[in-house]
Amino acid sequence: MVGESTVQKGLQDVVALESRITFIDGKQGRLIYRGYDIRDLAAQSTFEEVAYLLWYGRLPTAAQLTELRTTLGGLRTLPPEAAAIVDRMPKNANPMDVLRTAVSALAMFEPGETKTGPSSIGGAQRLTAALPTILGQFHRRRAGLPKLRARPELSHAAYLLYALLDTEPSPLDVNAIDVALILHADHELNASTFAARVTASTLSDLYSAVTSAIGTLKGPLHGGANERVMELLDEIKTPDRAESVVHARLAKHERIMGFGHRVYRVEDPRATILREWSRKIGEERKDIHYYDLLRAVELVVMKEKGLYPNVDLYSGSIYTLLGVPHDLFTPIFAASRVSGWTAHVLEEYDDLRLIRPTSAYVGPTDQRYVPIDERS
Ligand code: CMC
């Protein structure tokens, strides 16, 4: 009956499917990939190990890890036709638009068997390897940097930094990015992963699913929040101004980016780890002003709203200190989350059921059709 159903706005607390990939304990502040605590993975593993874990459900042996690294290194070069499309994108384009369009285009030049069903693990690895290349190729052209080389000897984290900055990154910088990539790799049924699974659930292909996910990640309530955090810090300038600037924003009913979460009721464990990395990179660069500003903002937001930081609060300060332009923050998120999106798409293909919820209709039902020349 019209208007009688109960609506869970934003699908909050709705359990839409079973998954073996990621568990979030929102009350204890724990994040677990395939049974492993994110704190252990961030401290001891690498992005490639985590990607293997997400895709295959177990940590790799040394030989399996070497094989995956070789595979990813060999998949970095785009087919010439796809590279030409990236080269034609306007230099002032939003990098997330570039990524979404390039992934969509790449599908047309890839073998069909890598796109759906269990063998789309090939597509998962191709996309994971290719995203830094797409970003690097686009950014280097707009920034006037030398052409990108595939550098198969570099880890995923080192290649991402090299692709974006054209530098030989220090081990500490690579470690910082590697940790950020590990922390962003998956997060249960977040909006972009859900979008990917909805697309895959129609038996559409992996590239379409990842294209849907990139478009969904772009929004400031999801992946786009860390860029906005840096805008806030630029406005605050000194820690003593944190209170007045945050108050002014709250008075206008604006959200403070980098705070709050749909699932965590305590601090997001990813924020805890990234806070330490923000301090570490700041100390190494002898510039901890972002860290100090963020600590000041944290105190005000906790006092005023009782909200805890999320993953987006500290990541932007790390990327900025490493020299990454702000509009590449969300694309870096995508370059990590693609591993999680594709793991979920593989899981969806394995246990497929069309995702098609229903809505409570609240519009009219008995309108009389008025011919067009009688309408006012
Ligand atoms: N600043 C100010 N108020 C907030 C914030 C915030 N960051 N987050 C939540 N609130 C308030 C909100 O205004 C609402 O208040 P009221 O009930 O008085 O209207 C109340 O808290 C509940 O908010 P909600 O939007 O119903 O809660 P939600 O579960 O839908 O929100 C969220 C989750 C992440 C969208 C939200 O906390 C938010 O907008 N945060 C800022 C954006 C952000 O940092 N996003 C990154 C999320 S983590 C990365 C990721 O997983 O993508």
Side-chain angles (χ1 to χ4, degrees):
M1 268 282 279
V2 173
E4 276 197 352
S5 330
T6 313
V7 177
Q8 288 297 97
K9 277 207 166 177
L11 300 183
Q12 178 152 8
D13 299 328
V14 171
V15 180
L17 48 89
E18 286 184 344
S19 175
R20 295 179 185 282
I21 303 174
T22 291
F23 173 60
I24 304 173
D25 183 339
K27 291 196 184 108
Q28 302 289 329
R30 289 188 74 202
L31 171 59
I32 287 162
Y33 296 163
R34 301 277 193 191
Y36 295 91
D37 194 295
I38 192 73
R39 287 169 290 206
D40 294 332
L41 293 170
Q44 296 177 67
S45 75
T46 60
F47 173 75
E48 288 88 336
E49 274 185 81
V50 167
Y52 189 101
L53 177 67
L54 294 173
W55 289 327
Y56 296 100
R58 58 182 188 277
L59 285 170
T61 62
Q64 288 165 335
L65 183 60
T66 303
E67 191 185 336
L68 179 62
R69 286 198 165 167
T70 308
T71 304
L72 292 177
L75 288 170
R76 284 180 182 153
T77 305
L78 301 180
E81 301 90 335
I85 290 171
V86 176
D87 273 340
R88 294 195 59 185
M89 300 207 193
K91 286 183 183 169
N92 63 355
N94 179 309
M96 285 299 279
D97 292 342
V98 171
L99 211 51
R100 192 191 57 237
T101 308
V103 165
S104 181
L106 189 57
M108 293 181 278
F109 309 106
E110 295 298 310
E113 65 274 14
T114 63
K115 294 185 192 165
T116 51
S119 57
S120 54
I121 183 71
Q125 293 175 354
R126 157 56 111 181
L127 283 173
T128 303
L131 258 54
T133 303
I134 294 166
L135 291 171
Q137 190 185 322
F138 168 72
H139 176 64
R140 281 165 175 256
R141 189 167 57 87
R142 71 176 181 173
L145 294 170
K147 274 204 176 308
L148 180 61
R149 288 179 295 120
R151 303 286 305 269
E153 78 284 5
L154 294 181
S155 69
H156 190 74
Y159 177 63
L160 181 62
L161 274 182
Y162 157 75
L164 298 181
L165 304 177
D166 192 40
T167 51
E168 294 302 319
S170 72
L172 186 74
D173 290 4
V174 173
N175 197 350
I177 284 290
D178 210 14
V179 168
L181 293 174
I182 290 167
L183 298 179
H184 286 85
D186 196 44
H187 210 229
E188 201 225 38
L189 213 49
N190 60 88
S192 56
T193 300
F194 188 57
R197 288 193 77 134
V198 169
T199 304
S201 85
T202 69
L203 262 184
S204 183
D205 66 286
L206 179 91
Y207 289 72
S208 298
V210 172
T211 304
S212 301
I214 294 171
T216 310
L217 183 70
K218 186 183 172 192
L221 296 188
H222 191 3
N226 54 5
E227 294 177 31
R228 311 287 169 98
V229 171
M230 297 313 289
E231 288 166 15
L232 177 71
L233 299 193
D234 288 344
E235 188 186 336
I236 294 176
K237 294 189 178 68
T238 54
D240 58 306
R241 283 172 34 84
E243 187 145 11
S244 58
V245 173
V246 169
H247 277 172
R249 291 204 175 197
L250 290 175
K252 286 189 276 176
H253 302 290
E254 285 180 24
R255 286 176 182 232
I256 310 300
M257 295 292 148
F259 290 91
H261 202 275
R262 177 63 66 80
V263 185
Y264 294 114
R265 292 294 153 247
V266 293
E267 179 161 296
D268 179 337
R270 303 168 300 173
T272 316
I273 299 169
L274 289 174
R275 184 191 290 113
E276 271 320 288
W277 273 97
S278 174
R279 189 185 53 73
K280 201 187 278 195
I281 294 290
E283 282 173 354
E284 191 257 348
R285 299 286 206 275
K286 303 208 175 359
D287 176 5
I288 60 160
H289 90 282
Y290 287 129
Y291 176 80
D292 289 340
L293 286 174
L294 289 165
R295 292 299 279 164
V297 174
E298 270 197 69
L299 286 177
V300 185
V301 175
M302 178 47 78
K303 193 171 88 186
E304 295 300 320
K305 299 289 292 184
L307 289 170
Y308 291 95
N310 61 46
V311 68
D312 280 312
L313 189 66
Y314 282 94
S315 55
S317 64
I318 298 169
Y319 302 154
T320 303
L321 287 168
L322 295 186
V324 177
H326 292 185
D327 66 354
L328 294 175
F329 294 176
T330 315
I332 290 179
F333 191 157
S336 159
R337 185 59 59 87
V338 66
S339 59
W341 291 332
T342 50
H344 279 270
V345 169
L346 284 160
E347 190 178 63
E348 190 62 42
Y349 288 148
D350 195 41
D351 184 21
L352 194 112
R353 171 102 171 122
L354 176 71
I355 299 174
R356 198 292 191 198
T358 189
S359 62
Y361 180 70
V362 294
T365 51
D366 296 315
Q367 300 272 51
R368 188 183 70 83
Y369 183 82
V370 181
I372 194 157
D373 52 1
E374 291 174 25
R375 290 176 210 157
S376 53

